[in-house]
């Protein structure tokens, strides 16, 4: 995916609401200062100690959860400030070019976290978001490698940072508040970020330094967030097929022959990406069809 396609997605599919992004990766220790200098030359950037404070600039922080570093590398998290999609994609491409130029790497334990602006969300809407994600989770799993589905492979239990959202469907919201704590936070959909950042955090995606994958996932997360501003019934026992998920987030309408009709060409690009990812991971039989 190039910048022109990404900008079309920002204009034609997404809303001009801010998103945040956390890119977990490993960078060569010997190149740390060179990477800092290169990043400072392309985006507002500063290297900091670990913190969860929202900045107006990109920050690079150490990530102690990434302790299985390749030799000569160290865990690193690149955190994007809140940006609207068009500007986010412009800066993201520059950041990824630097990280890839200096041979940054991702492993199975790395994640990609997207924060979506949830201003105006009520507790009822938070429950709608849970309802939507719980019934869509198996379909979304089809876009992910095995380690980001049920997290049964490659990571011991204390390292599972994107567990199923189904376990918290009826307990994340209690007594008129969003409950806090690691049990609630380390889920594919994290509501606990709302209290501090005013966002929904999507932790489902595997670590990547690929521009197209990140753009598509950011678009998917924002569209899901916007969908849940209106009612989503609680249907714990129902697993939404991806066909229905894409209808729900308004990337397509339904053709009479059972195929999807993308709402515009940018949505078609995204739906084709979804189909290709499902085929790549062996779920082609479950993939939707475009009319």
């Amino acid at each position: 995916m190039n910048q022109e396609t990404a900008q079309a997605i920002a204009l034609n599919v997404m809303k001009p609401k801010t998103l945040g992004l956390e890119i977990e990766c490993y960078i060569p220790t010997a190149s740390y200062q060179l990477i800092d200098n290169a990043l400072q030359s392309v985006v507002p950037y500063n290297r900091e100690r670990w913190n969860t404070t929202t900045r107006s600039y990109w920050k690079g922080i150490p990530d102690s959860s990434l302790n299985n570093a390749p030799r000569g590398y160290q865990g690193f998290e690149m955190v994007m400030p809140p940006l609207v999609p068009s500007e986010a994609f412009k800066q993201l491409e520059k950041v990824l070019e630097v990280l890839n130029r200096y041979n940054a790497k991702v492993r199975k334990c790395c994640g990609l976290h997207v924060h979506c602006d949830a201003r105006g969300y009520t507790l009822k809407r938070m429950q709608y978001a849970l309802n939507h994600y719980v019934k869509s989770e198996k379909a979304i799993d089809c876009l992910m490698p095995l380690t980001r589905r049920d997290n049964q492979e490659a990571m011991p239990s204390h390292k599972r940072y994107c567990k199923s959202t189904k376990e918290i469907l009826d307990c994340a919201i209690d007594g008129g508040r969003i409950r806090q704590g690691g049990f609630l936070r380390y889920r594919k959909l994290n509501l606990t970020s709302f209290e501090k950042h005013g966002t929904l955090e999507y932790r489902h995606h595997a670590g990547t330094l690929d521009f197209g994958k990140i753009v598509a996932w950011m678009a998917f997360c924002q569209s899901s967030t916007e969908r849940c501003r209106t009612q989503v019934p609680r249907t714990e026992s129902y697993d939404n097929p991806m066909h229905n998920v894409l209808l729900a987030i308004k990337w397509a309408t339904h053709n009479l022959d059972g195929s999807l009709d993308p709402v515009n060409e940018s949505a078609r690009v995204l739906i084709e990406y979804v189909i290709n990812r499902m085929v790549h991971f062996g779920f082609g039989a479950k993939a939707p069809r475009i009319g």
Side-chain angles (χ1 to χ4, degrees):
M1 184 184 296
N2 58 27
Q3 187 65 228
E4 182 180 359
T5 302
Q7 289 300 320
I9 289 170
L11 177 65
N12 299 317
V13 176
M14 303 180 72
K15 294 185 179 298
K17 296 184 177 183
T18 56
L19 300 106
L21 183 67
E22 300 163 9
I23 304 170
E24 295 180 347
C25 63
Y26 296 98
I27 60 172
T29 302
S31 301
Y32 211 136
Q33 189 59 55
L34 293 173
I35 292 172
D36 279 355
N37 294 341
L39 288 169
Q40 287 171 348
S41 72
V42 295
V43 294
Y45 167 80
N46 192 43
R47 191 206 311 183
E48 301 182 355
R49 295 181 178 180
W50 184 88
N51 67 82
T52 60
T53 303
T54 301
R55 305 296 193 191
S56 60
Y57 50 82
W58 290 79
K59 66 181 179 183
I61 57 175
D63 192 328
S64 60
S65 71
L66 305 179
N67 55 13
N68 187 28
R71 179 172 295 183
Y73 281 73
Q74 58 185 282
F76 181 73
E77 187 171 318
M78 191 69 181
V79 183
M80 186 182 80
L83 296 172
V84 296
S86 58
E87 185 60 29
F89 296 160
K90 291 176 185 176
Q91 295 191 21
L92 174 64
E93 186 176 44
K94 296 174 182 178
V95 166
L96 293 176
E97 190 282 324
V98 170
L99 294 177
N100 284 306
R101 188 196 328 155
Y102 285 96
N103 298 312
K105 300 179 182 294
V106 295
R107 283 188 162 183
K108 291 179 179 179
C109 57
C110 296
L112 179 80
H113 305 158
V114 175
H115 286 260
C116 293
D117 183 357
R119 283 176 294 183
Y121 254 58
T122 60
L123 290 178
K124 184 176 288 188
R125 286 172 173 163
M126 290 290 179
Q127 188 63 54
Y128 294 162
L130 281 175
N131 294 348
H132 172 73
Y133 216 85
V134 164
K135 71 179 183 179
S136 304
E137 187 175 297
K138 284 192 175 181
I140 302 171
D141 278 348
C142 297
L143 307 178
M144 307 295 169
L146 184 59
T147 52
R148 307 304 283 192
R149 295 174 205 162
D150 294 324
N151 266 1
Q152 297 302 310
E153 300 287 332
M155 287 184 283
S157 59
H158 69 284
K159 290 294 184 183
R160 295 176 188 164
Y161 292 123
C162 68
K163 291 185 283 189
S164 172
T165 306
K166 293 186 177 183
E167 298 174 26
I168 64 168
L169 175 62
D170 295 321
C171 66
I173 300 170
D174 180 58
R177 64 184 180 91
I178 301 168
R179 295 177 60 202
Q180 300 292 308
F183 177 78
L184 287 304
R185 177 185 176 191
Y186 299 125
R187 300 287 168 177
K188 294 172 182 177
L189 175 65
N190 168 32
L191 303 186
T192 71
S193 64
F194 183 76
E195 184 172 287
K196 183 171 184 177
H197 303 293
T199 63
L200 298 187
E201 183 188 21
Y202 295 80
R203 304 173 60 88
H204 203 155
H205 204 285
T208 182
L209 299 173
D210 182 279
F211 179 67
K213 290 179 182 179
I214 298 176
V215 168
W217 183 240
M218 290 174 75
F220 186 91
C221 293
Q222 191 195 67
S223 295
S224 297
T225 301
E226 293 305 304
R227 163 65 185 94
C228 299
R229 292 182 183 276
T230 56
Q231 185 177 12
V232 181
R234 183 189 184 284
T235 49
E236 182 179 7
S237 61
Y238 178 67
D239 292 322
N240 234 356
M242 181 57 73
H243 175 99
N244 289 1
V245 176
L246 297 178
L247 289 174
I249 64 175
K250 302 185 186 305
W251 284 7
T253 56
H254 190 77
N255 274 344
L256 294 178
D257 65 358
S259 62
L260 293 176
D261 185 12
V263 295
N264 53 47
E265 285 306 306
S266 295
R268 179 180 294 273
V269 169
L270 290 168
I271 294 171
E272 288 175 347
Y273 170 82
V274 166
I275 293 170
N276 289 336
R277 291 296 285 173
M278 294 181 71
V279 171
H280 173 76
F281 288 118
F283 297 105
K286 296 182 178 181
R289 294 184 297 109
I290 296 178

